Amino acid sequence: MTAHASRSAATGDDTGAQDHGQAWRDLAPDYERARAREDSLDRLVEWPAERGVLGDVTGLSILDLGCGNGGKLAELVRAGAGPSVGVDIGGNFITSVPTGMYLIRGDLSAPDALPELGGRTFDRILFLQSFGYAKDPVHTLRAARAILNQDGFILLTRTQPIRYALERAEQNGTTLGEEYFSTANYTYRTGWNEHIALTKRTYTMSDLLNAFSAAGLWIETAMEPQLSEDAARHYPHKQAWMNRYLGILIFKLRPLPSH
């Protein structure tokens, strides 16, 4: 079976056709529990790296698109950020919301279509592992760019595309190259809850870079964070996973100058 055929088979079943929004709403509580674990890679690698890119947020307005339960945004507001907004399709939000923070149940795909954001602009816009759910990636980035303040930036993190290609190759008995360049969607079950399947659009590095370019954005900084030496010693199983699947990509994006 070729990579393309195997992907078509995987996305042709009931779970592959499942509504993305409903799948995430069902999965979100399990994700938040997994993220809070002591050995969570989000806790050990992703959030520290993301927080480092953001730096001092005092007085800055932040829009978190695909904010999950809003916990990370709340942390930023408690650290001194100004009026900030979180958007998530799940609506499973934290109950203790700090002053100046607002949470909206909505689709991150079209921030320009959310009435609650009408007339607002932001100093920082975040897509923390959420960009893969955008229905039209270029439109989503253009809409985000349009509400970004001068001197602001977009912080966007994504899973290494090689990870998903390797998982599919292992699952289907195909090669890494076949799966990396396959254009079929990928339906899989996460370690958060094996009863719920997610479907994501596959992509290559060039797909991602071309989306940034088409949206009028340039990469100021790119990072591939890894476990610290201390964390690797304490959690060797996590280091083994990182050695195999590489982890995540972090991009700091700014608008290209207008001509």
Short mmCIF file of all heavy atoms in Angstrom, two decimals, residues 139-193:
data_model
loop_
_atom_site.label_atom_id
_atom_site.label_comp_id
_atom_site.label_asym_id
_atom_site.label_seq_id
_atom_site.Cartn_x
_atom_site.Cartn_y
_atom_site.Cartn_z
N HIS A 139 -5.12 32.71 5.19
CA HIS A 139 -6.15 33.67 5.61
C HIS A 139 -6.04 33.95 7.10
O HIS A 139 -6.13 35.11 7.53
CB HIS A 139 -7.55 33.16 5.29
CG HIS A 139 -8.64 34.03 5.85
ND1 HIS A 139 -9.10 35.15 5.20
CD2 HIS A 139 -9.33 33.96 7.03
CE1 HIS A 139 -10.02 35.74 5.94
NE2 HIS A 139 -10.19 35.04 7.05
N THR A 140 -5.86 32.90 7.89
CA THR A 140 -5.76 33.07 9.34
C THR A 140 -4.59 33.97 9.71
O THR A 140 -4.71 34.88 10.55
CB THR A 140 -5.64 31.71 10.03
OG1 THR A 140 -6.80 30.93 9.75
CG2 THR A 140 -5.48 31.85 11.53
N LEU A 141 -3.44 33.74 9.09
CA LEU A 141 -2.27 34.56 9.39
C LEU A 141 -2.45 36.00 8.92
O LEU A 141 -2.02 36.95 9.59
CB LEU A 141 -1.03 33.96 8.74
CG LEU A 141 -0.46 32.70 9.41
CD1 LEU A 141 0.72 32.16 8.61
CD2 LEU A 141 -0.04 33.00 10.85
N ARG A 142 -3.07 36.19 7.77
CA ARG A 142 -3.32 37.55 7.28
C ARG A 142 -4.26 38.30 8.23
O ARG A 142 -4.07 39.48 8.51
CB ARG A 142 -3.91 37.51 5.87
CG ARG A 142 -2.90 37.19 4.79
CD ARG A 142 -3.56 37.06 3.43
NE ARG A 142 -2.58 36.84 2.37
CZ ARG A 142 -2.89 36.41 1.15
NH1 ARG A 142 -4.14 36.11 0.84
NH2 ARG A 142 -1.94 36.25 0.25
N ALA A 143 -5.29 37.59 8.70
CA ALA A 143 -6.23 38.22 9.63
C ALA A 143 -5.54 38.57 10.93
O ALA A 143 -5.80 39.62 11.53
CB ALA A 143 -7.41 37.28 9.88
N ALA A 144 -4.64 37.71 11.40
CA ALA A 144 -3.88 38.01 12.62
C ALA A 144 -2.95 39.19 12.39
O ALA A 144 -2.85 40.09 13.24
CB ALA A 144 -3.09 36.77 13.04
N ARG A 145 -2.28 39.20 11.27
CA ARG A 145 -1.37 40.31 10.95
C ARG A 145 -2.11 41.65 10.94
O ARG A 145 -1.57 42.68 11.37
CB ARG A 145 -0.72 40.05 9.59
CG ARG A 145 0.24 41.15 9.16
CD ARG A 145 0.70 40.95 7.73
NE ARG A 145 1.52 42.09 7.31
CZ ARG A 145 1.69 42.43 6.05
NH1 ARG A 145 1.08 41.76 5.09
NH2 ARG A 145 2.45 43.47 5.74
N ALA A 146 -3.36 41.65 10.45
CA ALA A 146 -4.12 42.89 10.34
C ALA A 146 -4.46 43.51 11.69
O ALA A 146 -4.72 44.71 11.78
CB ALA A 146 -5.41 42.64 9.55
N ILE A 147 -4.46 42.70 12.76
CA ILE A 147 -4.78 43.25 14.09
C ILE A 147 -3.56 43.27 15.01
O ILE A 147 -3.69 43.36 16.22
CB ILE A 147 -5.94 42.46 14.75
CG1 ILE A 147 -5.63 40.97 14.84
CG2 ILE A 147 -7.24 42.70 13.98
CD1 ILE A 147 -6.71 40.17 15.58
N LEU A 148 -2.39 43.21 14.40
CA LEU A 148 -1.14 43.25 15.15
C LEU A 148 -0.65 44.69 15.21
O LEU A 148 -0.55 45.38 14.18
CB LEU A 148 -0.10 42.36 14.46
CG LEU A 148 1.22 42.11 15.17
CD1 LEU A 148 1.00 41.34 16.47
CD2 LEU A 148 2.17 41.35 14.25
N ASN A 149 -0.35 45.17 16.40
CA ASN A 149 0.16 46.52 16.56
C ASN A 149 1.55 46.68 15.93
O ASN A 149 2.28 45.71 15.76
CB ASN A 149 0.24 46.90 18.05
CG ASN A 149 -1.12 47.18 18.64
OD1 ASN A 149 -2.03 47.61 17.95
ND2 ASN A 149 -1.27 46.92 19.93
N GLN A 150 1.88 47.92 15.62
CA GLN A 150 3.22 48.22 15.12
C GLN A 150 4.25 47.75 16.17
O GLN A 150 4.05 47.95 17.36
CB GLN A 150 3.37 49.71 14.87
CG GLN A 150 4.67 50.10 14.21
CD GLN A 150 4.73 51.59 13.88
OE1 GLN A 150 3.84 52.35 14.26
NE2 GLN A 150 5.76 52.00 13.17
N ASP A 151 5.31 47.15 15.71
CA ASP A 151 6.37 46.58 16.56
C ASP A 151 5.91 45.32 17.30
O ASP A 151 6.66 44.80 18.13
CB ASP A 151 6.89 47.61 17.58
CG ASP A 151 7.53 48.80 16.90
OD1 ASP A 151 8.14 48.61 15.83
OD2 ASP A 151 7.42 49.92 17.43
N GLY A 152 4.71 44.82 17.02
CA GLY A 152 4.26 43.57 17.63
C GLY A 152 4.78 42.37 16.84
O GLY A 152 5.37 42.51 15.77
N PHE A 153 4.56 41.18 17.39
CA PHE A 153 4.94 39.97 16.65
C PHE A 153 3.98 38.83 16.97
O PHE A 153 3.24 38.86 17.96
CB PHE A 153 6.40 39.56 16.92
CG PHE A 153 6.73 39.16 18.34
CD1 PHE A 153 6.41 37.89 18.83
CD2 PHE A 153 7.38 40.04 19.19
CE1 PHE A 153 6.74 37.51 20.12
CE2 PHE A 153 7.72 39.68 20.48
CZ PHE A 153 7.39 38.41 20.95
N ILE A 154 4.01 37.84 16.08
CA ILE A 154 3.24 36.62 16.23
C ILE A 154 4.18 35.52 16.72
O ILE A 154 5.26 35.33 16.16
CB ILE A 154 2.60 36.19 14.90
CG1 ILE A 154 1.54 37.24 14.46
CG2 ILE A 154 1.95 34.81 15.01
CD1 ILE A 154 1.01 37.01 13.05
N LEU A 155 3.78 34.82 17.77
CA LEU A 155 4.52 33.66 18.26
C LEU A 155 3.74 32.42 17.85
O LEU A 155 2.60 32.23 18.27
CB LEU A 155 4.67 33.72 19.78
CG LEU A 155 5.32 32.50 20.45
CD1 LEU A 155 6.71 32.26 19.92
CD2 LEU A 155 5.35 32.67 21.96
N LEU A 156 4.36 31.60 17.01
CA LEU A 156 3.68 30.44 16.45
C LEU A 156 4.53 29.20 16.69
O LEU A 156 5.71 29.17 16.36
CB LEU A 156 3.45 30.67 14.95
CG LEU A 156 2.63 29.63 14.20
CD1 LEU A 156 1.87 30.30 13.04
CD2 LEU A 156 3.48 28.49 13.65
N THR A 157 3.92 28.18 17.29
CA THR A 157 4.63 26.92 17.51
C THR A 157 3.88 25.79 16.81
O THR A 157 2.65 25.78 16.76
CB THR A 157 4.77 26.59 19.01
OG1 THR A 157 3.49 26.29 19.57
CG2 THR A 157 5.38 27.76 19.77
N ARG A 158 4.66 24.86 16.26
CA ARG A 158 4.09 23.71 15.55
C ARG A 158 4.91 22.48 15.84
O ARG A 158 6.12 22.55 16.06
CB ARG A 158 4.07 23.94 14.04
CG ARG A 158 3.01 24.94 13.59
CD ARG A 158 2.33 24.47 12.33
NE ARG A 158 1.56 23.24 12.52
CZ ARG A 158 0.80 22.70 11.56
NH1 ARG A 158 0.73 23.26 10.37
NH2 ARG A 158 0.13 21.59 11.79
N THR A 159 4.27 21.34 15.77
CA THR A 159 4.98 20.08 15.88
C THR A 159 5.91 19.90 14.67
O THR A 159 5.56 20.28 13.56
CB THR A 159 3.98 18.91 15.91
OG1 THR A 159 3.14 19.06 17.05
CG2 THR A 159 4.67 17.57 15.98
N GLN A 160 7.09 19.36 14.90
CA GLN A 160 8.00 19.06 13.80
C GLN A 160 7.27 18.18 12.78
O GLN A 160 6.74 17.13 13.13
CB GLN A 160 9.20 18.28 14.34
CG GLN A 160 10.43 19.12 14.55
CD GLN A 160 11.22 19.27 13.26
OE1 GLN A 160 10.83 18.80 12.20
NE2 GLN A 160 12.34 19.96 13.36
N PRO A 161 7.21 18.59 11.51
CA PRO A 161 6.50 17.75 10.53
C PRO A 161 7.10 16.36 10.37
O PRO A 161 6.41 15.41 10.01
CB PRO A 161 6.60 18.57 9.23
CG PRO A 161 7.73 19.51 9.44
CD PRO A 161 7.76 19.81 10.90
N ILE A 162 8.39 16.24 10.67
CA ILE A 162 9.03 14.92 10.57
C ILE A 162 8.43 13.95 11.58
O ILE A 162 8.35 12.75 11.34
CB ILE A 162 10.55 15.06 10.76
CG1 ILE A 162 11.14 15.81 9.56
CG2 ILE A 162 11.22 13.69 10.91
CD1 ILE A 162 12.61 16.12 9.70
N ARG A 163 7.97 14.48 12.73
CA ARG A 163 7.37 13.59 13.73
C ARG A 163 6.17 12.85 13.16
O ARG A 163 6.07 11.63 13.27
CB ARG A 163 6.95 14.40 14.96
CG ARG A 163 6.11 13.55 15.92
CD ARG A 163 5.32 14.34 16.91
NE ARG A 163 4.26 13.52 17.50
CZ ARG A 163 3.40 13.97 18.40
NH1 ARG A 163 3.47 15.21 18.82
NH2 ARG A 163 2.47 13.18 18.88
N TYR A 164 5.23 13.61 12.57
CA TYR A 164 4.03 12.96 12.05
C TYR A 164 4.36 12.04 10.89
O TYR A 164 3.75 10.98 10.73
CB TYR A 164 3.01 14.02 11.63
CG TYR A 164 2.37 14.75 12.78
CD1 TYR A 164 2.17 16.12 12.74
CD2 TYR A 164 1.95 14.07 13.92
CE1 TYR A 164 1.58 16.80 13.79
CE2 TYR A 164 1.37 14.73 14.98
CZ TYR A 164 1.18 16.10 14.91
OH TYR A 164 0.60 16.77 15.96
N ALA A 165 5.32 12.44 10.05
CA ALA A 165 5.72 11.58 8.93
C ALA A 165 6.31 10.28 9.45
O ALA A 165 6.02 9.19 8.91
CB ALA A 165 6.73 12.33 8.06
N LEU A 166 7.13 10.35 10.49
CA LEU A 166 7.72 9.14 11.06
C LEU A 166 6.66 8.26 11.69
O LEU A 166 6.67 7.03 11.52
CB LEU A 166 8.79 9.52 12.09
CG LEU A 166 9.54 8.36 12.75
CD1 LEU A 166 10.18 7.46 11.70
CD2 LEU A 166 10.58 8.89 13.73
N GLU A 167 5.72 8.86 12.42
CA GLU A 167 4.64 8.07 13.02
C GLU A 167 3.84 7.34 11.95
O GLU A 167 3.50 6.17 12.10
CB GLU A 167 3.71 8.99 13.82
CG GLU A 167 4.29 9.48 15.14
CD GLU A 167 3.32 10.36 15.91
OE1 GLU A 167 2.27 10.73 15.32
OE2 GLU A 167 3.59 10.66 17.07
N ARG A 168 3.54 8.03 10.85
CA ARG A 168 2.77 7.41 9.77
C ARG A 168 3.56 6.30 9.09
O ARG A 168 3.02 5.26 8.73
CB ARG A 168 2.32 8.46 8.76
CG ARG A 168 1.36 9.48 9.33
CD ARG A 168 0.70 10.32 8.25
NE ARG A 168 1.64 10.99 7.37
CZ ARG A 168 2.16 12.18 7.57
NH1 ARG A 168 1.84 12.85 8.66
NH2 ARG A 168 2.98 12.73 6.70
N ALA A 169 4.86 6.53 8.91
CA ALA A 169 5.70 5.51 8.28
C ALA A 169 5.75 4.24 9.15
O ALA A 169 5.67 3.11 8.64
CB ALA A 169 7.11 6.06 8.05
N GLU A 170 5.87 4.43 10.47
CA GLU A 170 5.87 3.29 11.38
C GLU A 170 4.53 2.56 11.35
O GLU A 170 4.46 1.34 11.41
CB GLU A 170 6.19 3.77 12.80
CG GLU A 170 7.62 4.27 12.97
CD GLU A 170 7.86 4.92 14.33
OE1 GLU A 170 6.87 5.30 15.00
OE2 GLU A 170 9.02 5.06 14.71
N GLN A 171 3.46 3.32 11.28
CA GLN A 171 2.12 2.76 11.30
C GLN A 171 1.79 2.01 10.01
O GLN A 171 1.14 0.97 10.04
CB GLN A 171 1.11 3.90 11.52
CG GLN A 171 -0.35 3.51 11.42
CD GLN A 171 -1.25 4.73 11.61
OE1 GLN A 171 -1.17 5.44 12.60
NE2 GLN A 171 -2.09 4.98 10.62
N ASN A 172 2.25 2.56 8.88
CA ASN A 172 1.82 2.04 7.58
C ASN A 172 2.86 1.18 6.88
O ASN A 172 2.59 0.64 5.81
CB ASN A 172 1.46 3.21 6.66
CG ASN A 172 0.31 4.03 7.21
OD1 ASN A 172 -0.66 3.47 7.71
ND2 ASN A 172 0.40 5.34 7.12
N GLY A 173 4.05 1.04 7.48
CA GLY A 173 5.09 0.26 6.83
C GLY A 173 5.61 0.91 5.57
O GLY A 173 6.05 0.23 4.63
N THR A 174 5.57 2.24 5.53
CA THR A 174 6.04 3.00 4.37
C THR A 174 7.36 3.67 4.73
O THR A 174 7.92 3.45 5.80
CB THR A 174 4.99 4.04 3.96
OG1 THR A 174 4.62 4.80 5.12
CG2 THR A 174 3.75 3.38 3.40
N THR A 175 7.84 4.54 3.86
CA THR A 175 9.10 5.24 4.12
C THR A 175 8.83 6.64 4.65
O THR A 175 7.75 7.20 4.45
CB THR A 175 9.95 5.36 2.85
OG1 THR A 175 9.27 6.21 1.91
CG2 THR A 175 10.18 3.99 2.23
N LEU A 176 9.84 7.21 5.28
CA LEU A 176 9.72 8.57 5.80
C LEU A 176 9.44 9.55 4.68
O LEU A 176 8.58 10.43 4.80
CB LEU A 176 11.02 8.94 6.53
CG LEU A 176 11.09 10.35 7.13
CD1 LEU A 176 10.01 10.55 8.19
CD2 LEU A 176 12.46 10.60 7.74
N GLY A 177 10.13 9.41 3.56
CA GLY A 177 9.92 10.33 2.44
C GLY A 177 8.52 10.25 1.87
O GLY A 177 7.91 11.28 1.56
N GLU A 178 7.98 9.04 1.73
CA GLU A 178 6.62 8.89 1.23
C GLU A 178 5.63 9.65 2.10
O GLU A 178 4.74 10.36 1.62
CB GLU A 178 6.23 7.42 1.18
CG GLU A 178 6.83 6.61 0.05
CD GLU A 178 6.40 5.16 0.13
OE1 GLU A 178 6.95 4.43 0.97
OE2 GLU A 178 5.50 4.76 -0.64
N GLU A 179 5.75 9.46 3.41
CA GLU A 179 4.80 10.07 4.32
C GLU A 179 5.03 11.57 4.47
O GLU A 179 4.08 12.34 4.60
CB GLU A 179 4.86 9.38 5.69
CG GLU A 179 4.45 7.92 5.67
CD GLU A 179 2.99 7.69 5.28
OE1 GLU A 179 2.23 8.68 5.15
OE2 GLU A 179 2.61 6.53 5.10
N TYR A 180 6.28 11.99 4.45
CA TYR A 180 6.58 13.43 4.60
C TYR A 180 5.94 14.24 3.47
O TYR A 180 5.41 15.32 3.70
CB TYR A 180 8.08 13.64 4.62
CG TYR A 180 8.50 15.08 4.84
CD1 TYR A 180 8.41 15.67 6.10
CD2 TYR A 180 8.98 15.85 3.79
CE1 TYR A 180 8.78 16.99 6.30
CE2 TYR A 180 9.37 17.17 3.98
CZ TYR A 180 9.27 17.74 5.24
OH TYR A 180 9.64 19.04 5.43
N PHE A 181 5.97 13.68 2.25
CA PHE A 181 5.45 14.43 1.10
C PHE A 181 4.01 14.07 0.75
O PHE A 181 3.45 14.62 -0.19
CB PHE A 181 6.36 14.22 -0.11
CG PHE A 181 7.71 14.87 0.04
CD1 PHE A 181 8.84 14.11 0.24
CD2 PHE A 181 7.81 16.25 0.03
CE1 PHE A 181 10.08 14.72 0.41
CE2 PHE A 181 9.05 16.87 0.19
CZ PHE A 181 10.20 16.11 0.39
N SER A 182 3.39 13.18 1.52
CA SER A 182 1.98 12.87 1.28
C SER A 182 1.12 14.09 1.59
O SER A 182 1.37 14.82 2.53
CB SER A 182 1.54 11.70 2.16
OG SER A 182 0.14 11.52 2.08
N THR A 183 0.09 14.32 0.78
CA THR A 183 -0.81 15.46 0.98
C THR A 183 -2.13 15.06 1.64
O THR A 183 -2.98 15.92 1.85
CB THR A 183 -1.12 16.14 -0.36
OG1 THR A 183 -1.70 15.19 -1.26
CG2 THR A 183 0.16 16.70 -0.98
N ALA A 184 -2.30 13.78 1.97
CA ALA A 184 -3.53 13.33 2.62
C ALA A 184 -3.52 13.72 4.09
O ALA A 184 -2.47 13.83 4.72
CB ALA A 184 -3.69 11.83 2.47
N ASN A 185 -4.70 13.93 4.64
CA ASN A 185 -4.81 14.25 6.06
C ASN A 185 -4.38 13.07 6.93
O ASN A 185 -4.34 11.93 6.48
CB ASN A 185 -6.25 14.64 6.42
CG ASN A 185 -6.62 16.01 5.89
OD1 ASN A 185 -5.77 16.81 5.53
ND2 ASN A 185 -7.92 16.28 5.83
N TYR A 186 -4.07 13.37 8.18
CA TYR A 186 -3.58 12.36 9.11
C TYR A 186 -4.54 12.27 10.29
O TYR A 186 -4.75 13.25 11.00
CB TYR A 186 -2.18 12.75 9.59
CG TYR A 186 -1.56 11.84 10.63
CD1 TYR A 186 -1.75 10.47 10.61
CD2 TYR A 186 -0.77 12.37 11.64
CE1 TYR A 186 -1.16 9.64 11.55
CE2 TYR A 186 -0.17 11.57 12.60
CZ TYR A 186 -0.37 10.20 12.55
OH TYR A 186 0.21 9.40 13.49
N THR A 187 -5.14 11.11 10.47
CA THR A 187 -6.02 10.86 11.60
C THR A 187 -5.30 9.96 12.59
O THR A 187 -4.76 8.92 12.22
CB THR A 187 -7.33 10.21 11.15
OG1 THR A 187 -8.03 11.10 10.29
CG2 THR A 187 -8.22 9.89 12.36
N TYR A 188 -5.26 10.38 13.83
CA TYR A 188 -4.51 9.62 14.83
C TYR A 188 -5.17 9.78 16.20
O TYR A 188 -5.97 10.68 16.42
CB TYR A 188 -3.06 10.10 14.91
CG TYR A 188 -2.91 11.53 15.39
CD1 TYR A 188 -2.50 11.81 16.69
CD2 TYR A 188 -3.20 12.60 14.56
CE1 TYR A 188 -2.38 13.11 17.15
CE2 TYR A 188 -3.07 13.91 15.00
CZ TYR A 188 -2.65 14.16 16.29
OH TYR A 188 -2.56 15.45 16.73
N ARG A 189 -4.79 8.89 17.10
CA ARG A 189 -5.28 8.95 18.48
C ARG A 189 -4.13 9.36 19.38
O ARG A 189 -3.04 8.81 19.29
CB ARG A 189 -5.86 7.59 18.89
CG ARG A 189 -7.08 7.21 18.06
CD ARG A 189 -7.68 5.87 18.44
NE ARG A 189 -8.73 5.53 17.50
CZ ARG A 189 -9.99 5.95 17.60
NH1 ARG A 189 -10.34 6.73 18.62
NH2 ARG A 189 -10.88 5.61 16.70
N THR A 190 -4.36 10.32 20.21
CA THR A 190 -3.31 10.88 21.05
C THR A 190 -3.12 10.04 22.31
O THR A 190 -3.95 9.18 22.65
CB THR A 190 -3.66 12.31 21.49
OG1 THR A 190 -4.71 12.26 22.47
CG2 THR A 190 -4.14 13.15 20.32
N GLY A 191 -2.05 10.33 23.03
CA GLY A 191 -1.83 9.68 24.31
C GLY A 191 -2.67 10.28 25.41
O GLY A 191 -2.71 9.76 26.53
N TRP A 192 -3.36 11.38 25.12
CA TRP A 192 -4.21 12.03 26.12
C TRP A 192 -5.49 11.23 26.35
O TRP A 192 -5.97 11.12 27.47
CB TRP A 192 -4.56 13.45 25.71
CG TRP A 192 -3.39 14.26 25.25
CD1 TRP A 192 -2.12 14.23 25.77
CD2 TRP A 192 -3.36 15.19 24.18
NE1 TRP A 192 -1.31 15.10 25.08
CE2 TRP A 192 -2.04 15.71 24.11
CE3 TRP A 192 -4.30 15.66 23.27
CZ2 TRP A 192 -1.65 16.66 23.16
CZ3 TRP A 192 -3.93 16.61 22.33
CH2 TRP A 192 -2.62 17.09 22.29
N ASN A 193 -6.07 10.72 25.24
CA ASN A 193 -7.29 9.93 25.32
C ASN A 193 -7.36 9.08 24.05
O ASN A 193 -7.63 9.61 22.97
CB ASN A 193 -8.53 10.82 25.45
CG ASN A 193 -9.80 10.01 25.67
OD1 ASN A 193 -9.94 8.90 25.16
ND2 ASN A 193 -10.73 10.57 26.44
#
